[in-house]
Amino acid sequence: MTALVIPCAHCAGLNRIPADRLADGPRCGRCKSAVLIGAPFELSQASFANQVKGDLPLLVDVWASWCGPCRSFAPIFEQAAAQLKGRCRLAKLDSEANPQLSTQLGIRSIPSLILFKNGREVACQSGALPLPQLLAWLKQQGV
């Protein structure tokens, strides 16, 4: 039985979960919240290092509240999170609240999408995408 390491969306605590139990609604050993949620969670400078460690891919939407395309992309990102639950975790990074992390990630325009696998950036996409294109892009990346 293969166990996956998955960071909690709420406290960033690392959890070891059997792969065949992902659909059972696993709870975090630290905070007792659901580990896998069907919605994007907030990413910050403090939680970033633990969140990228997981065995499930992490898709980060870098956005800002003043950005019109970012606001219009938000519902699409939420729909993708619901469809990808258990296969990919989706997080939102506010570039205004986390300028140091945005700089570290090399963000030049928003919205930007960054896909991480096993702690490494594997793909980046600038601009908002319609849901079918977002899902197709992720499929090309092996998600």
Side-chain angles (χ1 to χ4, degrees), residues 16-96:
R16 189 172 304 279
I17 302 168
D20 61 349
R21 304 282 316 259
L22 290 179
D24 296 344
R27 298 254 169 215
C28 177
R30 183 190 296 170
C31 73
K32 309 301 182 219
S33 297
V35 173
L36 299 172
I37 58 174
F41 61 91
E42 292 298 319
L43 191 63
S44 67
Q45 181 81 37
S47 65
F48 177 76
N50 265 7
Q51 291 295 351
V52 297
K53 289 181 183 176
D55 289 328
L56 286 182
L58 174 68
L59 179 62
V60 178
D61 172 22
V62 184
W63 69 286
S65 60
W66 52 262
C67 170
C70 296
R71 287 193 311 268
S72 66
F73 181 62
I76 294 166
F77 200 66
E78 288 179 22
Q79 290 173 3
Q83 291 187 25
L84 295 167
K85 181 179 175 182
R87 293 190 351 230
C88 183
R89 299 172 317 114
L90 280 71
K92 296 185 73 64
L93 175 68
D94 183 345
S95 62
E96 295 289 305

Side-chain angles (χ1 to χ4, degrees), residues 120-139:
R120 292 184 31 243
E121 180 181 327
V122 294
C124 187
Q125 168 73 41
S126 293
L129 298 172
L131 184 60
Q133 286 180 327
L134 174 60
L135 296 175
W137 179 72
L138 287 169
K139 190 173 184 178

